[in-house]
Amino acid sequence: MVTGRIDFEGDGQIEGAALVDGSRVAVIGGGPAGALFTYFLLDMADRVDLKIDVDIYEPRLFAEPGPIGCNMCGGIISETLVQNLATDGVFLSTDVVQRGIDSYVLHTDVGSVRIATPNDEMRIAAVHRGGGPRDVTESRWESFDHHLLENAVERGANVIHARVDEIGRIDGRPTIKVHGGEPRAYDLAVIATGVNTSLLKSLEGLGIGYLRPKLTKTLIREYLVGADEIGRSLGTSMHVFLLDLPRLEFAAVIPKGDYVTMCLLGEDIDNALAETFAAAPQVRAIMPPGWDPAARSCQCLPHINVHGVDKPFAERVVFIGDSGVTRLYKDGIGAAYRTAKAAARTAIFEGVSEGAFRDHFLPVCRAIQGDNRIGAYAFVLTRVAQRFRILRRAILAIARDEQRPGRRPRLSGVLWDIFSGSAPYGDIFRRMVDPVLAVRGIMALPGVLVATVRGPAAAVAANPNPRR
Amino acid sequence: MSSAALGRFYEDGEVVVHQGDVGDSLFVVQDGLVEILVEEDGSEVVLRTAGRNEVLGEMAIFEHLPRSATIRARGRARILTLDKRNFLRRINEDPSLAFRMIETMSHRVRELSHEVVELQAALAGHGSPAEVVEH
Ligand SMILES: Cc1cc2nc3c(=O)[nH]c(=O)nc-3n(C[C@H](O)[C@H](O)[C@H](O)COP(=O)(O)OP(=O)(O)OC[C@H]3O[C@@H](n4cnc5c(N)ncnc54)[C@H](O)[C@@H]3O)c2cc1C
């Protein structure tokens, strides 16, 4: 067993278990968390002249269309993550980015408003996580997960295309067993399996204090629409919906290259709710004429992590991405980036002991979870807006007014950050309860009341896609 | 070049930032080429060109001084802007974000040292480079 202290020129000693030359690291799952962890681990190891071997266990083939290549997601790469990756040298070329997104359009039953990025720049990326839906005939884009995994391979990682059946421990070191194989011992096991796997349940019995995250079901559909049609209808905007439909909390329609992705979040999400949503006039209005909601290319019902793990680490074991702690509802890949990088930094510079992860990895997880608690309140406010038409009218009136030149985009900024997941929830919440915003709300009230008294006929819904 | 990718397009000759402007952002070239040039007494000296995946304008992050050079598209180029404040905030959480930037700056210092040596040698008509570069 390598329990050591390495010495980077002088005092920088690592107490307890550490990675040394020849150490072996197993990464279970080659999605964004696993691939980014490996990329950063090998990059940082290189910087300190440490020679380590990394095996990534990943059964999916990300270049393939259909379920075998897909990690089921909306495929929005947030503004912050785009910028972080660009700074870290992970280049997202036009081979990967199917559509640059420059705006959000908020749709309600009383109208819509478009909120654009500064300078009308494309600051958000829409991607496919795998090779696309199963009816893809010729894949014109590289999948995001494939791209990240290739980056890790270029750094020297070894990919083992197999599902891990069992994680155990021998002499204090983690062991990995794939179907039909013998357990292999490693100096560090990094769990990056996401939440849509049965492996996590078995890890609860490993005696390391791990308890699975709390999950909820979501729904994703893909529609083949064609790039030109998408350009004419949805454009380069992500479309989000605040509709008063029972059980629906949040819905988004995201334009990709040739496909449109529909994501639903709520209570007991099922097919019936997806049908109701797809038939809503606000959805039909943004889709091309003749679009048939029944003609979908694929559908899946993946789980999402809504309450992270309290102890996402143990001696020589760390849980990153969705299998540990993630961001509530938004920017899950961005959170995977943060936890992956924090785990890599800890492993290289602080060691792989339980204490090292507690002191250096846990604070990043705690920051995300603390922010999620505030996020939960922010989402309560959006839920309230979903229930009361008068509030939806007020939001639209203020946000529209803010689109005029020279107006400070207070509410638009809040909406942008809520929908894009670009800022910490704490930040968003503080701006949500800003007194200036309350004053703007009061000033908008007379107009809103008149519109409400006149009834739905007077709604501003005549402009479902403000770009047209 | 796809019109639906990250960043925004700059046409040939369009200026991304002017020398002398106060800088509050960094830039990452997504596609095409840009040139970095210094304007002095009405004439221009192109210092270098930069292409895909290169980060530019990073001096604005560390100094409160006007931009030392102009960045201009050579041919059609697509550029992504990174906001200085958000960038510093992210570095505060994750100092390793600065690794690559420091690496880039260190390469540039090395290149500049090399150029200084060459210029000194050219000016002197002879000379010992070792006397000039001491790092
Ligand atoms: C409906 C929906 C929409 C979403 N939209 C977005 C969005 O637009 N933007 C965003 O940033 N986030 C979004 N997310 C969240 C995002 O999908 C996750 O946060 C992100 O995928 C987490 O990355 P990960 O690497 O932790 O896990 P995953 O992406 O789930 O990857 C886990 C990997 O582990 C592998 N694996 C699993 N079990 C094993 C095993 N036993 N052995 C070996 N390998 C294994 C899997 O094959 C997979 O490749 C969305 C989620 C849902 C459900």
Side-chain angles (χ1 to χ4, degrees):
Chain A
M1 176 163 78
V2 189
T3 301
R5 44 181 60 211
I6 50 172
D7 191 349
F8 304 132
E9 306 259 309
D11 322 312
Q13 292 184 336
I14 294 178
E15 294 291 338
L19 297 179
V20 295
D21 277 347
S23 287
R24 299 176 63 231
V25 178
V27 178
I28 300 98
L36 287 168
F37 169 84
T38 308
Y39 175 84
F40 291 121
L41 186 84
L42 290 170
D43 178 72
M44 292 176 200
D46 197 37
R47 290 183 195 278
V48 295
D49 292 324
L50 187 63
K51 307 273 177 285
I52 50 178
D53 292 320
V54 183
D55 289 336
I56 303 177
Y57 290 87
E58 175 53 65
R60 285 194 207 277
L61 302 168
F62 296 130
E64 296 290 318
I68 181 129
C70 185
N71 266 333
M72 305 166 292
C73 154
I76 284 289
I77 311 302
S78 72
E79 197 179 355
T80 306
L81 183 56
V82 160
Q83 300 201 11
N84 282 346
L85 291 176
T87 316
D88 278 323
V90 181
F91 186 60
L92 297 181
S93 75
T94 47
D95 295 341
V96 178
V97 179
Q98 301 203 1
R99 198 166 288 269
I101 301 287
D102 62 357
S103 51
Y104 274 71
V105 184
L106 169 65
H107 300 276
T108 73
D109 57 333
V110 290
S112 309
V113 62
R114 176 176 179 266
I115 300 160
T117 54
N119 317 327
D120 272 332
E121 226 188 61
M122 309 285 183
R123 295 172 72 78
I124 292 171
V127 301
H128 267 152
R129 301 284 304 275
R134 70 178 99 216
D135 59 355
V136 163
T137 45
E138 181 202 355
S139 207
R140 293 202 281 145
W141 286 273
E142 185 190 359
S143 99
F144 179 72
D145 287 19
H146 184 260
H147 181 67
L148 294 188
L149 196 55
E150 283 301 296
N151 270 275
V153 169
E154 273 167 31
R155 288 257 157 211
N158 173 39
V159 178
I160 299 171
H161 283 293
R163 181 174 298 280
V164 170
D165 270 355
E166 223 177 277
I167 299 181
R169 264 183 189 279
I170 296 178
D171 293 338
R173 289 208 302 164
T175 58
I176 307 297
K177 187 182 148 321
V178 300
H179 186 66
E182 287 297 311
R184 296 171 75 178
Y186 285 91
D187 298 294
L188 170 67
V190 180
I191 321 294
T193 56
V195 288
N196 294 291
T197 174
S198 54
L199 187 72
L200 291 186
K201 188 166 191 292
S202 67
L203 293 179
E204 289 188 342
L206 200 60
I208 55 171
Y210 176 76
L211 288 175
R212 277 172 294 168
K214 289 197 183 64
L215 310 178
T216 189
K217 206 164 63 178
T218 62
L219 184 143
I220 308 177
R221 280 183 177 182
E222 294 272 351
Y223 288 97
L224 179 58
V225 172
D228 293 343
E229 274 296 350
I230 293 176
R232 280 190 289 271
S233 51
L234 294 114
T236 48
S237 305
M238 175 164 165
H239 296 259
V240 293
F241 295 81
L242 217 55
L243 302 179
D244 190 11
L245 294 180
R247 294 189 289 134
L248 182 70
E249 260 188 34
F250 175 77
V253 173
I254 303 156
K256 305 279 172 72
D258 290 323
Y259 288 83
V260 170
T261 308
M262 188 182 276
C263 288
L264 305 186
L265 235 118
E267 256 172 70
D268 303 323
I269 290 272
D270 59 11
N271 226 8
L273 181 54
E275 302 301 340
T276 313
F277 173 72
Q282 294 82 5
V283 178
R284 289 192 160 271
I286 58 159
M287 295 300 277
W291 170 68
D292 175 8
R296 59 178 190 250
S297 297
C298 63
Q299 172 172 303
C300 60
L301 292 142
H303 283 107
I304 196 166
N305 171 339
V306 286
H307 192 280
V309 173
D310 287 333
K311 185 173 174 273
F313 59 89
E315 185 77 9
R316 295 180 184 277
V317 178
V318 64
F319 293 79
I320 57 172
D322 277 16
S323 66
V325 169
T326 187
R327 219 161 159 225
L328 183 65
Y329 299 146
K330 296 283 152 185
D331 192 23
I333 306 173
Y337 163 95
R338 285 170 72 188
T339 55
K341 208 171 177 194
R345 275 198 314 266
T346 304
I348 295 292
F349 299 113
E350 315 293 346
V352 294
S353 66
E354 179 156 337
F357 287 124
R358 180 179 302 111
D359 293 347
H360 302 281
F361 170 71
L362 187 61
V364 172
C365 299
R366 288 245 164 97
I368 297 174
Q369 281 188 310
D371 195 49
N372 284 347
R373 278 191 280 279
I374 305 174
Y377 290 113
F379 284 109
V380 167
L381 293 184
T382 60
R383 242 168 266 151
V384 171
Q386 218 163 345
R387 299 286 170 263
F388 296 99
R389 176 173 283 156
I390 191 165
L391 275 180
R392 296 195 291 279
R393 278 193 206 280
I395 289 172
L396 282 190
I398 300 169
R400 282 187 170 166
D401 185 54
E402 286 178 357
Q403 305 312 305
R404 287 188 294 143
R407 295 291 269 172
R408 216 169 132 195
R410 286 181 197 269
L411 181 63
S412 312
V414 166
L415 292 173
W416 172 267
D417 287 335
I418 285 192
F419 295 126
S420 68
S422 297
Y425 287 129
D427 219 66
I428 299 173
F429 193 77
R430 261 190 301 281
R431 285 184 287 138
M432 256 181 166
V433 294
D434 178 353
V436 177
L437 209 51
V439 171
R440 281 194 187 171
I442 291 163
M443 284 167 74
L445 218 53
V448 167
L449 282 172
V450 170
T452 309
V453 169
R454 280 196 199 149
V460 271
N463 188 14
N465 184 347
R467 275 213 119 180
R468 275 190 197 155
Chain B
M1 259 185 232
S2 163
S3 59
L6 292 171
R8 112 160 162 77
F9 279 112
Y10 289 81
E11 298 303 333
D12 185 21
E14 195 178 341
V15 169
V16 181
V17 283
H18 278 287
Q19 180 181 334
D21 285 355
V22 178
D24 59 1
S25 30
L26 306 159
F27 306 94
V28 186
V29 183
Q30 301 288 299
D31 248 327
L33 280 180
V34 295
E35 49 194 14
I36 295 98
L37 53 102
V38 173
E39 296 161 78
E40 206 166 305
D41 302 333
S43 65
E44 292 180 354
V45 179
V46 175
L47 298 178
R48 60 187 188 91
T49 56
R52 244 180 183 218
N53 207 10
E54 280 193 65
V55 181
L56 302 170
E58 70 283 353
M59 278 153 81
I61 293 293
F62 303 105
E63 308 175 324
H64 272 294
L65 294 172
R67 299 267 185 204
S68 61
T70 294
I71 303 176
R72 188 168 70 189
R74 178 187 282 187
R76 200 165 191 235
R78 199 159 40 75
I79 290 159
L80 177 72
T81 315
L82 312 190
D83 173 67
K84 169 177 169 173
R85 225 175 127 188
N86 282 337
F87 183 77
L88 287 174
R89 181 185 187 165
R90 294 197 308 271
I91 287 192
N92 190 36
E93 176 185 302
D94 170 16
S96 72
L97 252 185
F99 280 175
R100 189 163 165 261
M101 198 150 293
I102 294 167
E103 197 172 61
T104 309
M105 291 174 99
S106 128
H107 284 163
R108 284 189 196 142
V109 170
R110 190 181 286 274
E111 276 168 21
L112 284 174
S113 309
H114 188 71
E115 274 171 34
V116 169
V117 171
E118 284 185 348
L119 283 174
Q120 293 265 11
L123 280 175
H126 61 281
S128 156
E131 279 170 24
V132 189
V133 230
E134 280 292 326
H135 285 288

